[in-house]
């Protein structure tokens, strides 16, 4: 699972690099900041549409071989990005990389949960998703540093090197899970599954409405220097790592309450960031708060999806597609709002999305199984006791 996290790290570093190098890419490709923001949207759209298609194409391929195939496709995308001489070529690179990235997320999460007992799936997802948090903590600042010092092309060459290392580790240490991950397509029609997809979209959309524009906001509104932004994003990444570890521990037995509380806090922190963007100390504090409770909801979101649906690769990839739909909404609508309303507008959009996410989470409170893995017909006290006994026995 830690090797799977290394692959996720490579994918996420590539995904976030565009957001971190917006000014350099705008200058190098001869476009403006909003157009570079659309590259985030294009990557997310490729994830949402191309990811499930690629996963479906690889369903009959052993999971390990599927991951290695995806690494090869992803590497091609990043090499094209490094060689890009104009905006259209970069668009092509982001489409290829995005489709590969989403397929990798879905298959790696599905593989990860097959290696553990159902009672600790949230922790397993958290381990794999540590690659996402480390991509924010280390990968993004590294890409910004390399891109700022040696040019944005060097950032994509660095990501290509990281991809090769992750592929070699996967070849050496990852095995195929013994458990079957087949699923019935009927799960895609279950109301609770659809609500879970909607809430995941909105939670991530709320976060990316702010995250996609952190670099220009922190430099142009808050007043931080360009050289300090990588350090601030490093601290933000540390917050996401801490949040992921905490949510991973809570996701199995307190799934829905974790989602509700975390999303409510995210709405609060987004509000503070929008109101006090021009005060450096407060802006930084609220940005760290967004890091603690934004993308870190991933383990709880994954557990909810697996309980409402299944652990199959295609189900997890579809879930990932809806997550990236949130990225599309946050980055695309946010980019469109900037020209008429300024850089604070995407953050205000995020507040509204977080409130809608809470509304989509609330119906899950009716199901004990979705809330904490207990049978829907089990009495509260009895099911809680059985869970505690199971966890004790497992320990």
């Amino acid at each position: 699972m830690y090797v799977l996290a290394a692959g996720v790290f490579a994918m996420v570093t590539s995904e976030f690099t565009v957001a971190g190098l917006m000014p350099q890419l705008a200058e190098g490709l001869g476009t403006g900041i909003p157009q570079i923001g659309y590259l985030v949207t294009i990557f997310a759209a490729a994830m949402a549409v191309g990811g499930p298609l690629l996963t479906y194409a690889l369903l009959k391929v052993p999971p390990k071989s599927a991951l290695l195939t995806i690494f090869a496709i992803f590497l091609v995308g990043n090499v094209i990005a490094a060689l890009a001489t104009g905006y259209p070529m970069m668009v092509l690179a982001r489409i290829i990389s995005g489709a590969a990235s989403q397929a990798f997320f879905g298959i790696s999460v599905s593989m990860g949960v097959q290696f553990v007992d159902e009672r600790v799936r949230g922790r397993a997802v958290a381990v794999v998703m540590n690659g996402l948090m480390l991509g924010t903590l280390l990968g993004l600042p590294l890409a910004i540093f390399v891109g700022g010092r040696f040019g944005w092309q060097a950032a994509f060459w660095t990501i290509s090197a990281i991809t090769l290392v992750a592929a070699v580790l996967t070849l050496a240490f990852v095995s195929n899970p013994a458990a079957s991950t087949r699923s019935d397509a009927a799960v895609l029609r279950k109301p609770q599954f659809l609500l879970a997809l909607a809430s995941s979209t909105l939670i991530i959309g709320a976060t990316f409405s702010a995250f996609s524009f952190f670099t220009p906001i922190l430099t142009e509104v808050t007043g931080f220097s360009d050289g300090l932004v990588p350090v601030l994003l490093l601290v933000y990444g540390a917050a996401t790592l801490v949040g992921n570890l905490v949510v991973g521990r809570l996701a199995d037995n307190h799934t829905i309450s974790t989602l509700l509380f975390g999303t409510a806090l995210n709405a609060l922190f987004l509000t503070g960031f929008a109101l006090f963007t021009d005060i450096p100390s407060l802006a930084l504090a609220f940005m760290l708060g967004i890091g603690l409770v934004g993308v870190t909801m991933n383990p709880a979101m994954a557990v909810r999806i697996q309980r409402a649906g299944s652990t199959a690769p295609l189900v997890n990839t579809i879930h990932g597609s809806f997550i990236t739909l949130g990225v599309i909404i946050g980055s695309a609508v946010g980019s469109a709002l900037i020209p008429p309303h300024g850089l604070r507008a995407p953050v205000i959009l995020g507040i509204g999305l977080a409130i809608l996410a809470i509304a989509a989470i609330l119906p899950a409170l009716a199901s004990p199984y979705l809330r904490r893995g207990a049978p829907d017909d089990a009495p509260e006290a009895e099911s809680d006791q059985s869970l505690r006994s199971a966890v004790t026995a497992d320990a």
Side-chain angles (χ1 to χ4, degrees):
M1 287 187 288
Y2 287 98
V3 173
L4 292 174
V8 172
F9 172 82
M11 308 287 162
V12 170
T13 300
S14 178
E15 179 183 359
F16 290 172
T17 291
V18 166
L21 293 175
M22 278 189 173
Q24 294 92 328
L25 283 166
E27 181 179 355
L29 298 175
T31 62
I33 292 293
Q35 285 70 36
I36 300 303
Y38 287 128
L39 287 177
V40 178
T41 307
I42 289 166
F43 189 96
M47 291 178 74
V49 178
L53 293 176
L54 182 55
T55 302
Y56 183 79
L58 295 171
L59 279 180
K60 295 183 179 180
V61 178
K64 180 177 178 177
S65 298
L67 291 183
L68 293 174
T69 301
I70 292 168
F71 272 126
I73 297 171
F74 184 73
L75 180 62
V76 169
N78 280 282
V79 170
I80 293 175
L83 298 173
T85 55
Y87 192 77
M89 195 170 175
M90 182 61 77
V91 168
L92 174 63
R94 301 309 280 170
I95 291 172
I96 295 172
S97 300
S101 177
Q102 186 64 282
F104 188 92
F105 288 166
I107 294 174
S108 61
V109 168
S110 181
M111 287 179 71
V113 298
Q114 298 306 310
F115 293 123
V116 300
D117 187 271
E118 182 179 0
R119 295 187 298 269
V120 291
R121 282 178 182 169
R123 297 187 194 182
V125 172
V127 171
V128 177
M129 286 297 104
N130 273 338
L132 171 61
M133 309 313 155
L134 288 172
T136 309
L137 173 62
L138 301 176
L140 177 58
L142 173 64
I144 293 175
F145 174 78
V146 172
R149 183 65 61 90
F150 304 105
W152 57 266
Q153 296 93 336
F156 286 103
W157 284 121
T158 301
I159 294 166
S160 298
I162 294 171
T163 301
L164 284 173
V165 171
V168 170
L169 290 172
T170 300
L171 180 63
F173 297 109
V174 173
S175 59
N176 288 307
S180 172
T181 55
R182 287 187 170 275
S183 67
D184 187 343
V187 301
L188 305 180
R189 298 192 297 269
K190 291 182 178 179
Q192 284 290 2
F193 182 77
L194 297 176
L195 282 170
L197 292 176
S199 64
S200 293
T201 299
L202 293 164
I203 289 169
I204 298 302
T207 303
F208 268 79
S209 294
F211 176 80
S212 298
F213 305 97
F214 273 163
T215 297
I217 289 173
L218 292 173
T219 55
E220 298 180 26
V221 180
T222 312
F224 288 113
S225 66
D226 290 340
L228 187 58
V229 169
V231 178
L232 299 179
L233 292 177
L234 183 68
V235 178
Y236 173 87
T240 67
L241 184 62
V242 172
N244 184 62
L245 293 172
V246 173
V247 173
R249 288 285 178 174
L250 297 173
D252 293 297
N253 296 337
H254 308 282
T255 312
I256 304 305
S257 57
T258 298
L259 287 172
L260 282 174
F261 186 64
T263 305
L265 282 178
N266 200 21
L268 177 64
F269 293 140
L270 286 164
T271 301
F273 189 69
L275 291 175
F276 302 105
T277 313
D278 53 351
I279 302 176
S281 59
L282 291 178
L284 178 59
F286 287 117
M287 184 182 81
L288 295 182
I290 296 168
L292 284 171
V293 294
V295 295
T296 59
M297 293 296 108
N298 261 296
M301 293 189 306
V303 170
R304 183 185 179 191
I305 280 290
Q306 289 161 11
R307 287 176 182 164
S310 76
T311 62
L314 190 56
V315 168
N316 282 293
T317 305
I318 290 172
H319 179 223
S321 293
F322 276 82
I323 286 175
T324 53
L325 177 60
V327 178
I328 294 172
I329 294 170
S331 61
V333 179
S335 291
L337 290 173
I338 290 174
H341 301 293
L343 284 167
R344 294 177 194 251
V347 185
I348 297 172
L349 168 67
I351 299 168
L353 294 176
I355 293 171
L356 290 175
I358 293 171
I361 296 167
L362 286 172
L365 289 172
S367 169
Y369 181 63
L370 293 178
R371 290 205 314 270
R372 63 193 190 285
D376 284 343
D377 57 354
E380 293 280 325
E382 179 184 335
S383 58
D384 282 348
Q385 179 60 40
S386 65
L387 272 176
R388 282 194 294 269
S389 298
V391 171
T392 303
D394 183 61

